[in-house]
Amino acid sequence: MSILRVEQLSFQYLQANRNALRAVTCEFEPGTVTAIVGANGAGKSTLCFALAGFIPHFFRGKLQGKVYVNGADTQQTPLAQLVTQVGMVFQNPFNQISGAKLTVSEEVAFGLENLGIARAEMETRVARTLQLFDLQHVAQQSPFALSGGQQQRLALASIFIMEPPVMILDEPTAQLDPHGTRQVMKTIQTLAAHGRTIVLVEHKLEWVARLAARVLVLDKGALVADGEPRAILSRANAWGLIETRYARAARAAMERGLIEKKELLPQTLEQAKDWFQIEG
Ligand SMILES: Nc1ncnc2c1ncn2[C@@H]1O[C@H](COP(=O)(O)OP(=O)(O)OP(=O)(O)O)[C@@H](O)[C@H]1O
Ligand SMILES: [Mg+2]
């Protein structure tokens, strides 16, 4: 059974004059990374809100269709119950900070407090999580005093520590440098390998190619492609996405007549070596 299922989902925000989502149907398999890509305003964050239950429980608007989490209809299931199944990291990490805690360490522990976990166990998990997201040096600072990148890592840490079976990550590395990005991507990979289901909104298509088993493309609220990453990313230009450096190089080589035209373009270093027939 799919852990997440979306059926003919349409949504229009209260103040909007057009639909943010248009009859989207898709499913997500357990233990996989599925990427959602699309231009600005395509509806990626809106789909994330619907998968996590914030639509309809938090954002008001006109909703049609269904979302099921582990078979439960999100419209019929309270948010408090959904959050134990689906954790979401917001696009703007500032929005994730509770405002209820004075230090980064307490903020990371916040979600665990209501789960009745023993104090020693909690301290171990907090220390491990702070380490994982490279926040141990700012553990005693106020969450609001952090840089954008640190706040993004804090938002991720606060969700990761809860260990929800499904994690929705809306551009989790937008504020991070290449090192921070690599760290977060590796963590995502490890989580999926341990059976977590990851939904990742990401503009960096090279990471999408490396991590995702499947890619969904949203365009003006509609799901316009759903499939194997390499085939989909080879058509990135068609949806106004910034293609990977490997795809760009391949396209340039084809246009100059250096290599015969092919439909599948390389999206990773490994694929590029093969595509350009580079030895070693
Ligand atoms: N709270 C809101 N009220 C009204 N309209 C909204 C609201 N949030 C988003 N929208 C509109 O819904 C549409 C989809 O927005 P959404 O944020 O889901 O796109 P996105 O793909 O995440 O874009 P981005 O890449 O910029 O994050 C856009 O037209 C946007 O203006
Ligand atoms: Mg968005």
Side-chain angles (χ1 to χ4, degrees), residues 44-45 91 170-171:
K44 304 179 297 294
S45 294
Q91 184 166 359
D170 193 357
E171 301 193 32

mmCIF file of all heavy atoms in Angstrom, residues 44-45 91 170-171, ligand 2:
data_model
loop_
_atom_site.group_PDB
_atom_site.id
_atom_site.type_symbol
_atom_site.label_atom_id
_atom_site.label_comp_id
_atom_site.label_asym_id
_atom_site.label_seq_id
_atom_site.Cartn_x
_atom_site.Cartn_y
_atom_site.Cartn_z
ATOM 1 N N LYS A 44 4.296 23.590 -5.630
ATOM 2 C CA LYS A 44 5.076 22.597 -4.881
ATOM 3 C C LYS A 44 4.804 22.679 -3.380
ATOM 4 O O LYS A 44 4.517 21.670 -2.735
ATOM 5 C CB LYS A 44 6.580 22.786 -5.155
ATOM 6 C CG LYS A 44 6.958 22.741 -6.620
ATOM 7 C CD LYS A 44 8.453 22.947 -6.837
ATOM 8 C CE LYS A 44 8.966 24.304 -6.395
ATOM 9 N NZ LYS A 44 8.449 25.442 -7.172
ATOM 10 N N SER A 45 4.907 23.888 -2.826
ATOM 11 C CA SER A 45 4.677 24.035 -1.379
ATOM 12 C C SER A 45 3.233 23.698 -1.024
ATOM 13 O O SER A 45 2.967 23.094 0.021
ATOM 14 C CB SER A 45 4.992 25.466 -0.929
ATOM 15 O OG SER A 45 6.369 25.727 -1.069
ATOM 16 N N GLN A 91 9.544 25.710 3.839
ATOM 17 C CA GLN A 91 10.465 26.378 2.916
ATOM 18 C C GLN A 91 11.210 27.521 3.615
ATOM 19 O O GLN A 91 12.401 27.683 3.441
ATOM 20 C CB GLN A 91 9.658 26.913 1.731
ATOM 21 C CG GLN A 91 10.494 27.548 0.645
ATOM 22 C CD GLN A 91 9.690 27.746 -0.634
ATOM 23 O OE1 GLN A 91 8.512 27.387 -0.709
ATOM 24 N NE2 GLN A 91 10.324 28.304 -1.633
ATOM 25 N N ASP A 170 10.604 20.878 2.158
ATOM 26 C CA ASP A 170 10.347 21.887 1.131
ATOM 27 C C ASP A 170 11.584 22.767 0.970
ATOM 28 O O ASP A 170 11.812 23.663 1.767
ATOM 29 C CB ASP A 170 9.117 22.713 1.532
ATOM 30 C CG ASP A 170 8.595 23.566 0.391
ATOM 31 O OD1 ASP A 170 9.211 23.569 -0.691
ATOM 32 O OD2 ASP A 170 7.557 24.235 0.593
ATOM 33 N N GLU A 171 12.372 22.484 -0.042
ATOM 34 C CA GLU A 171 13.629 23.199 -0.321
ATOM 35 C C GLU A 171 14.504 23.294 0.931
ATOM 36 O O GLU A 171 14.865 24.393 1.379
ATOM 37 C CB GLU A 171 13.343 24.584 -0.907
ATOM 38 C CG GLU A 171 12.531 24.488 -2.196
ATOM 39 C CD GLU A 171 12.485 25.790 -2.986
ATOM 40 O OE1 GLU A 171 13.473 26.535 -2.933
ATOM 41 O OE2 GLU A 171 11.469 26.022 -3.654
HETATM 42 MG MG MG B 2 7.414 26.747 -2.453
#
